[in-house]
Amino acid sequence: MVTDKPGYEHLIQFLTEHLALFEQQGTPTSHRKTLGVIIEEQIAEQIIQLCLQHTELETIHRSQIVREVDGIMYDFQEVLASVIEKPATEEQIELINEVSLLIKNLFDTAIAHLMD
């Protein structure tokens, strides 16, 4: 649906290009959530929003989205393996939020093509 598309490759490349932001020492947020937790929360929030917006999706499509999100999480954990358990900074959370919105946009586009 999205992980085999050029847009997803660009997204992973974008994340890789900003890897230095994750390797920098910064001030953790007051809640001290790890990058892994923040990534899971942000992506889950966007996928829930996606499913709420696209009520026309059939169960098979929702299952496919869940499988792809699992793959996306795996890819992110691979790219950020060395820092995934470190507390997130505000700057990192902002980038993760931007990336999760881009993931939702990729799915929105794929769903639009699916429903045509």
Side-chain angles (χ1 to χ4, degrees):
M1 184 173 264
V2 300
T3 55
D4 60 345
K5 303 291 188 258
Y8 182 70
E9 291 174 25
H10 294 160
L11 182 64
I12 294 298
Q13 182 179 6
F14 174 78
L15 185 62
T16 304
E17 288 170 358
H18 289 85
L19 196 55
L21 174 67
F22 295 99
E23 294 171 342
Q24 296 173 3
Q25 294 289 4
T27 305
T29 59
S30 60
H31 54 68
R32 299 191 59 80
K33 291 181 181 178
T34 65
L35 285 168
V37 168
I38 297 294
I39 291 167
E40 287 177 14
E41 289 178 350
Q42 293 287 335
I43 292 176
E45 183 179 314
Q46 292 305 317
I47 297 306
I48 289 168
Q49 188 66 29
L50 176 84
C51 289
L52 290 173
Q53 289 175 336
H54 295 282
T55 56
E56 73 279 9
L57 286 173
E58 296 178 19
T59 303
I60 192 166
H61 299 127
R62 292 176 192 272
S63 296
Q64 186 177 5
I65 290 169
V66 169
R67 282 192 304 277
E68 293 227 358
V69 169
D70 283 345
I72 291 168
M73 290 302 302
Y74 178 81
D75 290 346
F76 278 38
Q77 289 168 346
E78 287 291 308
V79 171
L80 300 172
S82 64
V83 295
I84 200 85
E85 294 301 321
K86 293 185 178 182
T89 66
E90 285 299 327
E91 295 82 10
Q92 293 165 343
I93 292 171
E94 287 177 26
L95 183 65
I96 291 167
N97 185 52
E98 183 178 340
V99 168
S100 66
L101 289 168
L102 292 171
I103 290 169
K104 181 182 179 295
N105 286 343
L106 289 173
F107 278 108
D108 280 328
T109 301
I111 290 168
H113 289 298
L114 185 67
M115 297 300 163
D116 282 344

